[in-house]
Amino acid sequence: MNGSLYITACEAGSGKTVVALGAMQFLLSRARNPAFFRPIISEPEAADPRDPAVNLLLTHFRLNVPYESAYAFTLREAVNLLNSGRRAELLETVLNKYKALERDYDVILCEGTDVTGGDAAFEFELNAEIAANLGAPVLVVCNALHKSADEITASARIILDLLYEKNVDVAACIVNRAEVGEKEAANIAAAIRQHGNAAVRPAAYTFPEVRTLSSPTAGDIRKRLNAEVLYGHDGLDTLVDDYLVAAMHVENFLKYLKPGCLLVTPGDRVDIVLAGMASRLSSAYPDIAGILLTGNIGLPEPVRNLVESWIGSPVPVMSVPGNTSETVQALARCKSRIETRDTRKINAAVDLFNTRVDADELEARLAGLRCAGREKITPKMFEHTLLARAAARRMRIVLPEGAEERILRAAAVLSRGRVADIVLLGREKDIKDKTAALGINPEVTVIRPELSPKFEEYATIYYEMRKHKGLSMDQARAALSDPTYYGTMMVCRNDAQGMVSGSINTTAHTVRPAFEIIKTRPDASIVSSVFLMCLRDRVVVFGDCAVNPNPTAEQLADIAIQSARTAGIFGIEPRVAMLSYSTGSSGKGADVDLVVEAVKIAQRRAPELPLDGPLQYDAAVDPGVARTKLPDSKVAGRATVFIFPDLNTGNNTYKAVQRASGAVAIGPVLQGLNKPVNDLSRGCTVPDIVNTVAITAIQAQAASG
């Protein structure tokens, strides 16, 4: 078994750690080398800086995962990043740490936040976003305590709908701490299984409320309050179900005793202490869990002598320095916690999971989700993949606009991530002054074209290339003084494997030198472009949306074949839809005829390529529409590469999709050149530049074999 599983809860007190213990035991029985990861942990406590859940899972199951590798951020750190507009940085760091574990372990069990930050909705959305970007199916835990069967079912359905809206696959829903009968529990599970229309519907299991797991022990309270144990050390494993502040006279407070309650009273209330201890020796009153003395007031010597003369204290008696009000507030924050040495609770949690969860069914659900989600990829996942692929075999990429602030910031990101070896063109002093002012120090090579040892060599080569056009040697030198021309010549002469420009220069200024110096591939009639459109759950290719206004049928076929090749370079299985306002033979007209002819040419030139058209966009992407309009097509309803008939349609469509759906549009990616050169928008951001450099590097890898 491989992959991952993400456990998340919807509210505090859901018993998420109980489920995590059982889930890890489940994974250990099916994988040789599992890991545990919490993207966001709770704030560390002074007494124990290690996260309790991480420490518990790593220690109990003896997982070979360094503690520092098992989490990414504390909740406070995560909130600070989000509040400062650095959401992308948070997700990128989480993804990097997860991917690092993925390289070394068979399967990763992830556990979400503890939902104790004061905003359950915020934490739920954050966990859903992280799970979607990790590509991890979710095991969602719902808190059913004090809820009716109808309330439990309604709440679970709402949670499932919210997760589906956020593109999260749900493997199973665990309704925990349910106080319902077995028949009602079965009905709840059945209702959850039947809800929604997911391709793989979730399993559903109902866990009853288990006092051993939900109640803290007297020892838990001692640890959380740093209390001193005066008597009854042997009773620290007693479960505490409730708290009773004892301030009445003895004859009155005895009426309020309940099984498993912890008496909280000032240390000078000797009468309450003795009555409470005596109640444990009486069959007329329920057994209390212990006594907690406040105010750091010790018992008087005669009382100590009396208590110490008994053979073993019937209950644990503890003392804290705070007053009663402070102590009660602290107790309200004491939740049941499973410690690494608490084998009773650990075994109870694992047994509960094993008896209530159908392991074979859960494994089948996970396998089904892995199969159904093979093509599912979020924008952040795709961007991470781009950077990782580029870094795997670093290429030398030249950036002619070397003194531009965004270029310098991007260069710092790229060099820090060792994504590519960056060459900046410009005056070295200008670049050093700007990087110092920005507080960055990218590891780059800086070249000033006119002072370069290769300047005359490049100028001569360019002169030989263009002298038939009437170019003089002086004009060649003037051209090569332009960083864009110099950078293009570097690529031509293999002194760089790719170039990215356009953050301050026009597209024409970026592309013209490439046409003159690098030229088109022998198997390409034109240079065209695509955008990699990162939708919510997949990446598709749109072409041509930036270069050719009105391609001929021959050119349109060429664009389709080039776009399919580009899709393959970036790990997208090409299924090419030639778009039109008509599907099949339903429409007539010159525009449709152009696409029909282009389809014939493309199929003749690349018979092995899944390509069909004319197709309307809905028939290309929607399987239901495809079954009606073009039922025998191998592309309709499943297209990944979309070829628009002209630039007007393509450019407007990619921008409409980008703005209306929130898709990330990466590009334009130029195709058809002998070597990779890519153009930036003048409104590009630093992430845009980073992504474009990574794309150029991957194109260079493909070109070099």
Side-chain angles (χ1 to χ4, degrees):
M1 182 177 181
N2 53 28
S4 59
L5 181 62
Y6 195 106
I7 299 174
T8 187
C10 317
E11 57 182 287
S14 297
K16 176 169 49 63
T17 301
V18 169
V19 176
L21 284 164
M24 180 56 77
Q25 187 67 55
F26 160 78
L27 293 177
L28 274 167
S29 67
R30 286 159 169 77
R32 292 175 56 191
N33 191 22
F36 182 69
F37 178 59
R38 292 198 75 191
I40 300 172
I41 62 173
S42 300
E43 292 305 311
E45 299 176 0
D48 187 358
R50 291 167 69 95
D51 178 71
V54 173
N55 193 41
L56 172 64
L57 271 289
L58 296 187
T59 302
H60 178 73
F61 293 106
R62 299 180 181 178
L63 301 179
N64 186 28
V65 180
Y67 178 78
E68 293 73 19
S69 300
Y71 75 96
F73 295 104
T74 67
L75 183 60
R76 181 178 293 119
E77 290 170 342
V79 170
N80 288 340
L81 283 173
L82 294 172
N83 288 342
S84 60
R86 296 157 67 190
R87 194 179 203 91
E89 180 181 335
L90 182 147
L91 293 174
E92 184 68 27
T93 302
V94 168
L95 197 51
N96 283 336
K97 298 209 74 167
Y98 173 85
K99 289 294 183 180
L101 288 174
E102 196 175 49
R103 288 192 292 270
D104 298 326
Y105 299 90
D106 300 330
V107 63
I108 304 172
L109 178 66
C110 305
E111 184 181 334
T113 62
D114 289 331
V115 200
T116 56
D119 191 340
F122 162 77
E123 291 191 45
F124 178 78
E125 289 201 8
L126 181 58
N127 282 301
E129 184 174 14
I130 291 173
N133 279 288
L134 297 183
V138 160
L139 199 163
V140 61
V141 185
C142 301
N143 188 350
L145 190 65
H146 306 319
K147 295 178 184 176
S148 68
D150 288 344
E151 290 171 333
I152 295 168
T153 302
S155 174
R157 284 174 166 173
I158 291 170
I159 290 162
L160 289 177
D161 287 340
L162 291 172
L163 289 170
Y164 292 147
E165 284 177 11
K166 296 185 178 301
N167 193 37
V168 175
D169 291 326
V170 182
C173 177
I174 290 183
V175 174
N176 194 24
R177 308 187 69 184
E179 301 168 305
V180 297
E182 287 298 321
K183 184 176 180 180
E184 287 181 309
N187 291 337
I188 291 168
I192 293 172
R193 290 168 184 266
Q194 295 164 9
H195 182 68
N197 55 1
V200 179
R201 293 197 178 189
Y205 310 106
T206 305
F207 290 12
E209 167 74 334
V210 178
R211 180 169 171 258
T212 302
L213 296 171
S214 59
S215 299
T217 64
D220 292 335
I221 291 170
R222 179 203 66 77
K223 185 174 181 180
R224 297 296 297 276
L225 272 60
N226 196 25
E228 178 187 359
V229 182
L230 303 179
Y231 308 105
H233 289 79
D234 294 340
L236 291 177
D237 61 349
T238 304
L239 296 174
V240 177
D241 294 325
D242 200 359
Y243 307 116
L244 175 63
V245 178
M248 299 178 179
H249 289 169
V250 169
E251 64 270 22
N252 294 316
F253 109 86
L254 286 172
K255 301 175 186 177
Y256 292 92
L257 290 183
K258 294 180 181 178
C261 71
L262 177 71
L263 298 184
V264 183
T265 189
D268 57 2
R269 288 298 303 271
V270 173
D271 55 339
I272 297 292
V273 174
L274 293 177
M277 297 179 75
S279 72
R280 280 293 298 266
L281 303 174
S282 169
S283 60
Y285 291 96
D287 288 343
I288 63 172
I291 302 172
L292 184 62
L293 307 180
T294 64
N296 206 23
I297 303 172
L299 296 174
E301 183 177 355
V303 177
R304 290 202 309 272
N305 293 336
L306 174 63
V307 173
E308 290 167 1
S309 68
W310 289 342
I311 302 175
S313 172
V315 294
V317 180
M318 301 176 288
S319 174
V320 292
N323 62 42
T324 302
S325 177
E326 293 170 345
T327 302
V328 170
Q329 292 178 43
L331 284 170
R333 297 190 293 270
C334 287
K335 306 299 180 185
S336 175
R337 178 181 289 178
I338 304 177
E339 303 287 349
T340 56
R341 296 181 180 179
D342 196 342
T343 55
R344 179 176 63 163
K345 286 191 175 185
I346 293 171
N347 292 336
V350 172
D351 289 345
L352 179 64
F353 190 95
N354 289 341
T355 56
R356 306 298 295 197
V357 172
D358 184 332
D360 292 337
E361 180 190 42
L362 179 57
E363 183 176 18
R365 287 290 198 284
L366 292 170
L369 289 172
R370 283 197 299 273
C371 183
R374 281 175 184 164
E375 294 185 0
K376 182 176 285 191
I377 183 168
T378 67
K380 185 54 65 179
M381 291 164 65
F382 185 68
E383 290 177 0
H384 183 276
T385 301
L386 288 179
L387 298 179
R389 283 188 60 188
R393 183 156 62 101
R394 292 206 307 280
M395 297 284 113
R396 198 171 196 228
I397 307 299
V398 59
L399 307 178
E401 300 153 328
E404 159 63 26
E405 178 180 332
R406 290 166 296 166
I407 294 291
L408 292 172
R409 290 189 183 277
V413 173
L414 291 160
S415 63
R416 185 168 61 246
R418 302 183 66 78
V419 175
D421 294 329
I422 300 299
V423 179
L424 300 179
L425 301 185
R427 293 167 57 91
E428 187 169 8
K429 183 178 184 305
D430 292 345
I431 291 172
K432 283 187 174 180
D433 288 348
K434 282 202 171 183
T435 55
L438 294 171
I440 57 177
N441 186 29
E443 295 180 14
V444 298
T445 299
V446 178
I447 297 175
R448 184 174 176 181
E450 62 271 25
L451 299 182
S452 166
K454 293 200 172 186
F455 181 78
E456 281 298 320
E457 176 189 338
Y458 285 179
T460 302
I461 294 170
Y462 183 61
Y463 167 72
E464 292 295 334
M465 285 179 173
R466 304 295 292 177
K467 65 182 180 181
H468 67 286
K469 296 285 189 179
L471 185 78
S472 69
M473 191 63 194
D474 286 342
Q475 289 173 323
R477 290 190 183 97
L480 266 297
S481 297
D482 183 318
T484 305
Y485 271 86
Y486 188 91
T488 306
M489 188 60 75
M490 286 184 69
V491 176
C492 175
R493 302 301 296 169
N494 291 323
D495 292 324
Q497 283 80 51
M499 183 181 84
V500 174
S501 187
S503 66
I504 56 177
N505 288 305
T506 64
T507 296
H509 191 78
T510 298
V511 174
R512 187 184 300 112
F515 287 168
E516 294 178 1
I517 297 171
I518 293 176
K519 306 185 187 308
T520 58
R521 295 163 53 104
D523 58 351
S525 63
I526 57 170
V527 173
S528 60
S529 73
V530 296
F531 278 88
L532 303 176
M533 301 297 295
C534 302
L535 307 178
R536 187 176 67 166
D537 61 349
R538 63 193 185 280
V539 179
V540 296
V541 175
F542 281 9
D544 176 5
C545 303
V547 178
N548 298 285
N550 294 292
T552 65
E554 183 76 32
Q555 291 171 333
L556 203 57
D558 193 275
I559 292 168
I561 294 169
Q562 290 183 47
S563 299
R565 181 184 294 118
T566 300
I569 289 173
F570 293 103
I572 302 166
E573 183 181 349
R575 294 187 290 271
V576 184
M578 306 290 282
L579 298 177
S580 172
Y581 61 77
S582 167
T583 295
S585 58
S586 65
K588 303 294 181 184
D591 292 335
V592 177
D593 293 342
L594 175 74
V595 177
V596 170
E597 181 63 22
V599 170
K600 291 178 181 178
I601 296 169
Q603 289 175 337
R604 185 169 62 249
R605 288 179 52 191
E608 76 291 346
L609 179 63
L611 181 148
D612 207 348
L615 282 169
Q616 292 164 288
Y617 192 88
D618 59 348
V621 299
D622 190 315
V625 175
R627 283 192 294 270
T628 300
K629 293 188 173 184
L630 215 61
D632 298 326
S633 174
K634 295 181 180 179
V635 172
R638 313 174 55 235
T640 57
V641 179
F642 301 84
I643 306 303
F644 296 92
D646 54 60
L647 184 59
N648 182 50
T649 306
N651 190 269
N652 278 296
T653 301
Y654 106 76
K655 288 181 177 177
V657 171
Q658 180 186 29
R659 299 297 181 182
S661 70
V664 176
I666 301 177
V669 180
L670 297 183
Q671 53 190 17
L673 290 166
N674 277 310
K675 296 183 179 180
V677 171
N678 281 309
D679 178 41
L680 296 165
S681 162
R682 277 174 283 178
C684 65
T685 62
V686 171
D688 292 335
I689 299 168
V690 170
N691 287 336
T692 304
V693 170
I695 282 172
T696 307
I698 294 169
Q699 287 180 302
Q701 291 171 354
S704 63

